Amino acid sequence: MSGIPTSSARLAARRGQDAGLPWLATRRALFALLVALTTLVGTGLMWRILQPGGITPLQWGILVLFSAIFAWIAVGFWTAVAGFLLLLADRDPLTLARRPRVADERALPITRRTVLAMPIHNESPEQVVAALSTTAESLIATGQAHHFTLFVLSDTTDPAIAAAEARAIAGLQAGLAGRLALHYRRRAGNAGRKAGNLAEFCRRWGTGFDFMVVLDADSRMEGETLLGLVRALQARPRVALIQTVPLPVRQLTLFGRLSQFAASLYAPMLAAGQSAWQGDAANYWGHNAILRLGAFMDHAGLPRLPGRPPLGGEILSHDFVEAALLRRAGWEVELETRLTGSFEEMPGNLLDYARRDRRWTQGNLQHLRLLAAPGLHPLSRLHFLLGATAFVSSLLWLVILLAGSLDAVLIARSEPAYFGSGEQLFPFWPRARPELIAALLAMTATLLLLPKGLGLLLALGRRAAGFGGRVRLCASALLEGLAAILLAPIMMAFHSAFVIGVLTGTSVEWGTQHREGRAVPWRAALRHTAPFALLGALWIALVTWQVPVLVAWLAPVWVGLALAPLLVRASGSRRTAAGLERVGLLRTPEPRAHAGLLEAHSNLAAGDATDAETLALGPPPPECHGEMPSQILDRAKAVDSDSGEGRRGQAE
């Protein structure tokens, strides 16, 4: 096992780290202050609402959970505000300069060898080749493809898929022959999943390259974007990882089009805000990013966590941890928001989307075990916490809503107590605080909805044509907002069930994702969401019976739950999505701006129409072996390692 870097090594690596990122400490301090003040105000309002008559144990629980949720909402709100201000002023979120840094780096000649690595596992060969070929053709069109090599890293376990995969890659090899080198390697197993797949490549071929761009099976990247990443990493010697902002594309279902529209409208603003306060300690999302291979091999080898799954064993959400390990070693990790042309595909209906979230829930909850790992940057620990909170918050919201409803029912059924148990001269008159309740609701709604309004304002000013014009943009934003309100309770219920499942010891297989838009049969919709509909119906029936005044307030929750089977069924509808497209709704600028990359399909055999069945895969290049030692993430082992270093130092 590799030990953590010594304090002197970390200090040396961090020297001058703020030189290109002005006011970074001040930015972070201001962001933390704004989040803290917002949380304090919200929690104070809730305290004053609950305080008259004394706070019961149930209400204390509500207050504690509300504080945690409100802090999480405040982080998202102030991130959006920061991104809005930066984009409005056309400022780079990292350097705060008006002129984009990427423009200054375009003149740099490329001097590094870069591998585009695509790990795959039981994926559709046609989809893999279609995505990879469009990226390859875009890169070839730049005239700089000779600096790159493609590697398809297969962990496919299904023999039929593996055979089709080999034929498809052989056809693509023939099509790219003489223009861009493409290699194929298949492992016999799937040890370590995606992280193990990449680590095995690094140990066999990693020293033969300087940089690595990680692509998922559905990733598509413009050639100029790839060149920009390489030049950026060349120009920033202290940076080990640069993450782009991949946008979902090629969506044909209603849910897919809604998600694609929302990401196109809001993701650039949110990413700019994140980059501004994360600075040199950004996160890694596992794909559409460039890595400095030497640093990655030296410091990002993943150990197994002690204990059994679901919270022990192999690290599932490896990307967060790899970024944290690189930052711990003194390397910088950046989120690059100025480079466009980075895309991915996504699940096309709510059930497939929830299945993907089920895997991420388990992986992100694992990160809670790493909060105390030795030597991590504070922001790396925050990434772990926020990633887990993204799923735990749903359970907290559900508990708060159920507990609040129960508390209202108990109050409605109880006789008011005008005198306490001790001597009391004057009676206590219970009094509702509607002005405080209204203020808290208005504040919460502002934190949740204003970021959408800010994203819409930016688009109206600069990008409206790409969304079909201002009228269609506003109508699409309204439609997406209403859909988000209806679907949020369903995802809250799914996430709550996932978190409970993980905490009670239920593990999940990390299989192939369904990225194509699929319809949801009624049977599947009912099987997975009928309990949610029953919960919503019973919940609102009880509230209507006991506290009818709450029915309207809880409508955004119970309506979505009660309609869950219908909404899940509709989420996979291609007909509805096509109808909205015909009237110009939910359009996005990306298909028009990057038509060649997003619409082109692969031609398995190049010009001579050779039958792919007769083609043979070319052998991979000679191996260049290197080490990728597992890192220490357990504090006890780190203490032992430090003690050993101390004893060796004394002996010397």
Side-chain angles (χ1 to χ4, degrees):
M1 299 285 284
S2 173
I4 63 173
T6 62
S7 57
S8 58
R10 289 196 299 270
L11 287 173
R14 287 200 297 264
R15 252 174 223 161
Q17 66 183 14
D18 289 342
L21 306 178
W23 304 98
L24 182 56
T26 302
R27 292 187 236 169
R28 290 171 174 168
L30 177 61
F31 181 79
L33 178 62
L34 290 171
V35 170
L37 289 176
T38 304
T39 305
L40 185 62
V41 172
T43 304
L45 285 172
M46 178 61 84
W47 164 268
R48 293 184 62 189
I49 291 169
L50 298 175
Q51 195 271 336
I55 300 182
T56 66
L58 179 61
Q59 291 171 331
W60 271 115
I62 293 173
L63 184 64
V64 171
L65 296 178
F66 177 83
S67 300
I69 290 291
F70 213 76
W72 183 68
I73 294 174
V75 169
F77 172 77
W78 288 112
T79 296
V81 171
F84 172 78
L85 295 175
L86 287 165
L87 293 183
L88 188 65
D90 196 25
R91 296 282 178 174
D92 186 289
L94 286 170
T95 66
L96 304 183
R98 185 176 295 277
R99 186 180 180 184
R101 289 176 307 146
V102 292
D104 298 331
E105 293 165 354
R106 283 179 188 151
L108 290 176
I110 291 183
T111 59
R112 299 291 191 270
R113 298 161 297 172
T114 301
V115 59
L116 308 184
M118 178 182 281
I120 59 176
H121 174 58
N122 292 335
E123 303 282 353
S124 164
E126 293 79 10
Q127 291 183 351
V128 168
V129 172
L132 190 58
S133 64
T134 52
T135 297
E137 293 294 347
S138 181
L139 181 59
I140 291 168
T142 67
Q144 300 289 323
H146 56 282
H147 296 292
F148 295 81
T149 299
L150 305 183
F151 243 103
V152 177
L153 307 174
S154 174
D155 270 4
T156 296
T157 54
D158 186 306
I161 295 178
E165 183 179 275
R167 291 193 299 268
I169 299 300
L172 185 56
Q173 274 186 336
L176 297 177
R179 301 186 298 153
L180 181 59
L182 168 62
H183 303 291
Y184 173 82
R185 185 276 285 138
R186 181 180 172 224
R187 288 200 300 171
N190 187 29
R193 298 179 174 84
K194 179 180 174 181
N197 193 351
L198 287 170
E200 196 261 3
F201 166 80
C202 289
R203 294 187 180 102
R204 293 178 63 183
W205 288 284
T207 58
F209 301 95
D210 301 297
F211 304 155
M212 176 169 67
V213 175
V214 181
L215 302 173
D216 269 357
D218 58 357
S219 296
R220 296 179 183 229
M221 297 187 72
E222 289 279 5
E224 290 295 341
T225 303
L226 293 169
L227 297 184
L229 284 174
V230 172
R231 290 182 176 123
L233 207 55
Q234 285 182 183
R236 309 172 201 174
R238 296 193 305 273
V239 177
L241 191 154
I242 300 176
Q243 174 68 60
T244 66
V245 184
L247 296 178
V249 290
R250 296 173 54 81
Q251 299 303 300
L252 300 175
T253 64
L254 177 59
F255 178 77
R257 294 297 300 274
L258 287 165
S259 301
Q260 180 176 293
F261 174 83
S264 180
L265 187 59
Y266 308 125
M269 178 185 72
L270 295 173
Q274 286 179 328
S275 184
W277 61 264
Q278 290 174 4
D280 56 12
N283 212 350
Y284 173 37
W285 302 334
H287 59 94
N288 294 48
I290 191 168
L291 308 168
R292 193 179 298 274
L293 262 174
F296 186 73
M297 292 173 63
D298 288 344
H299 303 293
L302 299 182
R304 286 181 64 88
L305 296 179
R308 300 174 60 184
L311 296 179
E314 294 175 341
I315 295 176
L316 302 181
S317 294
H318 60 94
D319 36 18
F320 283 39
V321 182
E322 289 160 347
L325 290 171
L326 288 170
R327 193 64 191 85
R328 182 175 76 173
W331 289 96
E332 297 179 11
V333 178
E334 293 182 352
L335 174 59
E336 179 58 78
T337 62
R338 291 287 184 144
L339 286 172
T340 59
S342 177
F343 305 105
E344 62 178 338
E345 296 182 35
M346 59 172 291
N349 63 64
L350 202 60
L351 279 188
D352 287 339
Y353 186 82
R355 289 190 182 101
R356 186 184 70 173
D357 273 9
R358 171 61 182 87
R359 302 183 309 141
W360 288 359
T361 301
Q362 182 173 338
N364 285 19
L365 289 181
Q366 266 189 332
H367 294 163
L368 295 177
R369 298 188 55 182
L370 306 179
L371 288 175
L376 295 184
H377 191 281
L379 282 189
S380 298
R381 302 185 200 277
L382 181 61
H383 292 318
F384 289 161
L385 183 61
L386 292 178
T389 303
F391 298 100
V392 175
S393 62
S394 291
L395 180 59
L396 298 184
W397 268 123
L398 183 60
V399 171
I400 288 173
L401 291 169
L402 291 174
S405 300
L406 177 60
D407 185 56
V409 169
L410 293 176
I411 292 174
R413 293 182 60 85
S414 64
E415 293 292 333
Y418 299 106
F419 293 92
S421 57
E423 295 182 359
Q424 183 175 330
L425 181 59
F426 298 102
F428 170 77
W429 300 101
R431 185 170 67 91
R433 306 296 298 272
E435 73 283 358
L436 296 179
I437 296 173
L440 182 58
L441 288 173
M443 184 178 181
T444 305
T446 299
L447 296 183
L448 291 172
L449 300 179
L450 184 59
K452 288 182 177 289
L454 296 178
L456 178 59
L457 282 177
L458 286 174
L460 285 170
R462 301 178 182 178
R463 299 191 295 150
F467 291 96
R470 289 187 172 88
V471 174
R472 289 188 177 93
L473 171 57
C474 291
S476 297
L478 178 60
L479 176 62
E480 188 278 329
L482 292 174
I485 292 172
L486 286 173
L487 298 181
I490 304 175
M491 292 310 302
M492 176 183 68
F494 272 127
H495 288 169
S496 299
F498 298 160
V499 171
I500 292 172
V502 172
L503 296 180
T504 55
T506 303
S507 188
V508 66
E509 291 295 325
W510 282 46
T512 305
Q513 294 186 42
H514 296 290
R515 297 182 175 93
E516 73 282 2
R518 307 190 303 171
V520 181
W522 272 113
R523 179 177 296 180
L526 289 169
R527 183 172 71 252
H528 289 284
T529 61
F532 304 163
L534 180 61
L535 171 64
L538 292 177
W539 189 352
I540 201 59
L542 177 62
V543 172
T544 302
W545 176 36
Q546 294 292 329
V547 198
V549 70
L550 287 182
V551 171
W553 294 107
L554 292 174
V557 179
W558 68 261
V559 169
L561 291 177
L563 297 178
L566 175 62
L567 294 173
V568 168
R569 164 75 175 176
S571 70
S573 172
R574 292 193 177 199
R575 180 179 298 178
T576 305
L580 292 172
E581 169 64 23
R582 283 193 295 271
V583 297
L585 296 181
L586 300 182
R587 289 181 179 174
T588 56
E590 288 75 28
R592 186 179 304 173
H594 305 273
L597 184 75
L598 302 183
E599 300 303 327
H601 296 279
S602 67
N603 184 9
L604 296 186
D608 59 357
T610 303
D611 186 356
E613 295 283 349
T614 67
L615 297 173
L617 277 167
E623 296 185 9
C624 306
H625 290 279
E627 298 293 326
M628 190 169 179
S630 296
Q631 303 299 305
I632 291 176
L633 287 170
D634 183 82
R635 183 168 293 278
K637 292 181 180 179
V639 171
D640 292 341
S641 176
D642 291 343
S643 300
E645 290 179 3
R647 287 192 294 271
R648 286 194 298 273
Q650 292 173 3
E652 292 171 358

